[in-house]
Amino acid sequence: SSLTWDQIKILDQVLAEVIPIHGRGNFPTLDVKLKDIIHVVKEQLIEKQIDVRDIRLNGSTASHILVKQNGTSYKDLDIIFGVELPSELEFQVVKEAVLNCLLDFLPKCVNKEKITAQTMRDAYVQKMVKVSTDHDRWSLISLSNNSGKNVELKFVNSLRRQFEFSVDSFQIILDSILNVYRATDCKLTEDSHPTVIAESMYGDFNEAMDHLKYKLISTRSPEEIRGGGLLKYSNLLVRDFKPADEAEIKSLERYMCSRFFIDFPDVAEQQRKIESYLRNHFIGEEKSKYDYLMTLRGVVNESTVCLMGHERRQTLNMITILALKVLGEQNIIPNAANVTCYYQPAPYISDRNFSNYYIAHGQPPIIYQPYPFHIQMQ
C-alpha cells in the first residue's frame, strides 16, 4: 500500500528528528538524525562490498506513521537493512561499519585518531545481538538513549518471524524517500513526492490496518516468537487494545505462556526479563507499571498450563512482589510497615473467608484476588 501525503509528512518528521545518542561516562551526547545515520551506514556497507537490498522502518514507529490518530506511541526507532550475511566475516564487517560511522557524529573538537571501534561500542551501544542459525541470520546494534527512544539498527539476511502482533507487523520501505534526501534539487511537496510503500508482515495489509485503527489484538502461531509475545500482549491489553477474537485469544494465551516459560524457565530469569521490559517500555509512564504487572499476572494465572503448581505459584508471587515494589516506589504504599500479608491456609482448612492483604494506617485499600502467597525469609 502507498503512503498518503499526510503519512509521508509524518515519516519525514520522524526521519529528520534529532535523536540524542547518550554516551557513558565522559563521552559526549551525539545528536543524530535518523536519515543521516541511515545514509552513512549504507555508504559504509557499500564501500565494504556488502550489498544492501533495501532499507525499512519497522514496528511501532511504522504503525505510528500509518495511524497516528488512535494514540499509538513509539519508543524504539527500528531500522532494517536487508543485507547478505553468508559468513562470520560479514557480521564482523557490519559491526565495524556501524561503530566507525558513529565517529562521524562526534563533535569536531574531539580527537578521533585514538578512539577505537571497541571504545565507541562501550560508550554508545546499549546492546548487540547476533543470530546465526539455519533459518535466521541477522544482527542488531542498539544505540543508547536515556528516554528509551533507542536507535535500533538491524541487519537482516533472513528472519523467519518478523512481527509479534498484527499491529506491529508494518514495515515502510524507505529507499525512495532516502533518494530524495540525497538529490540536492529535490524537495518533498504534495505535488512532487516519491511513492513510499508500506507492507504488513502479518500478511493481510487491510486486516492489519483495521486492527491498528480499532486497537484490536491478533497474532498467529505465538509459539514461534521468542518469549511467546506474552509481555507485548500484556502491554497491548493495558493500553486498551482488545482481542479481535475473544474465543481464539484464550487458546493463543496458553501458547504465549508456554513459550515464555520454555525460553525463561527460571524465576530469576523471568524477573530479569520483566524488569528489563518495564525499563525499556514504560519510561515516563511509571503509573502504568502496576496495571501492567497485574494484567500480566492475570494472564499467567489464567492461561499457564505447562508449569507444576509450585512453579506457577513462584512466578505469580514474583510478579506480585514486583507490583508491590512499584507501588512503593510511587509512594502509594509509603513503607512496608503498612502492608500486612496473610498467608493462604493449608488445603485441609475449609474456611477461606479471609482477606489476603490489609493496608493499615488509613491508607486507601488495594484489593487483590485471593491466591497463594509465599515469601521465603532469608
Side-chain angles (χ1 to χ4, degrees), residues 292-328:
Y292 172 77
L293 288 165
M294 295 314 287
T295 300
L296 172 63
R297 188 193 173 282
V299 175
V300 171
N301 187 40
E302 291 173 19
S303 298
T304 300
V305 294
C306 61
L307 296 182
M308 302 286 285
H310 72 282
E311 292 173 324
R312 185 166 157 279
R313 285 193 296 272
Q314 280 184 322
T315 298
L316 292 172
N317 292 343
M318 176 269 293
I319 297 171
T320 305
I321 290 169
L322 285 180
L324 284 172
K325 182 180 172 186
V326 164
L327 291 182

Side-chain angles (χ1 to χ4, degrees), residues 190-202:
E190 187 168 4
D191 297 324
S192 174
H193 62 77
T195 300
V196 181
I197 302 297
E199 298 177 351
S200 169
M201 302 299 106
Y202 179 72

Side-chain angles (χ1 to χ4, degrees), residues 346-373:
Y348 50 78
I349 297 178
S350 59
D351 180 16
R352 305 230 171 198
N353 294 322
F354 66 94
S355 170
N356 285 64
Y357 287 85
Y358 171 68
I359 310 297
H361 308 313
Q363 297 294 326
I366 299 170
I367 307 302
Y368 294 83
Q369 295 299 316
Y371 66 96
F373 186 65

Side-chain angles (χ1 to χ4, degrees), residues 137-322:
R137 291 183 66 78
W138 57 273
S139 66
L140 167 73
I141 299 176
S142 178
L143 305 178
S144 302
N145 175 275
N146 294 344
S147 63
K149 196 177 276 190
N150 298 327
V151 175
E152 304 225 317
L153 305 175
K154 189 178 282 185
F155 302 87
V156 176
N157 181 104
S158 56
L159 180 57
R160 234 181 342 177
R161 178 76 182 219
Q162 297 196 45
F163 72 99
E164 290 186 87
F165 295 87
S166 61
V167 294
D168 64 11
S169 69
F170 296 99
Q171 293 184 356
I172 296 173
I173 302 169
L174 299 177
D175 298 81
S176 61
I177 196 169
L178 294 173
N179 290 336
V180 172
Y181 293 144
R182 300 273 62 85
T184 54
D185 58 340
C186 289
K187 289 189 177 179
L188 291 173
T189 66
E190 187 168 4
D191 297 324
S192 174
H193 62 77
T195 300
V196 181
I197 302 297
E199 298 177 351
S200 169
M201 302 299 106
Y202 179 72
D204 187 322
F205 183 88
N206 291 328
E207 184 183 353
M209 278 295 286
D210 282 343
H211 293 163
L212 185 58
K213 285 176 187 173
Y214 302 113
K215 303 182 77 167
L216 299 175
I217 302 171
S218 182
T219 189
R220 49 177 71 106
S221 306
E223 67 276 9
E224 296 176 357
I225 307 167
R226 177 161 172 79
L230 175 64
L231 301 186
K232 171 80 173 183
Y233 172 65
S234 302
N235 196 355
L236 290 173
L237 288 175
V238 92
R239 296 181 192 282
D240 296 324
F241 282 71
K242 306 295 181 192
D245 185 326
E246 287 281 359
E248 181 190 36
I249 205 71
K250 287 301 170 189
S251 169
L252 294 177
E253 281 182 5
R254 289 194 286 274
Y255 285 112
M256 291 179 210
C257 290
S258 295
R259 178 64 198 256
F260 182 81
F261 291 117
I262 288 168
D263 291 333
F264 308 103
D266 179 71
V267 176
E269 284 182 89
Q270 295 160 20
Q271 180 169 337
R272 281 194 295 273
K273 184 65 180 175
I274 293 168
E275 287 176 333
S276 172
Y277 193 88
L278 288 171
R279 277 195 305 275
N280 292 329
H281 293 85
F282 287 86
I283 292 173
E285 300 178 271
E286 304 303 315
K287 291 183 179 177
S288 298
K289 287 182 178 180
Y290 171 77
D291 291 337
Y292 172 77
L293 288 165
M294 295 314 287
T295 300
L296 172 63
R297 188 193 173 282
V299 175
V300 171
N301 187 40
E302 291 173 19
S303 298
T304 300
V305 294
C306 61
L307 296 182
M308 302 286 285
H310 72 282
E311 292 173 324
R312 185 166 157 279
R313 285 193 296 272
Q314 280 184 322
T315 298
L316 292 172
N317 292 343
M318 176 269 293
I319 297 171
T320 305
I321 290 169
L322 285 180

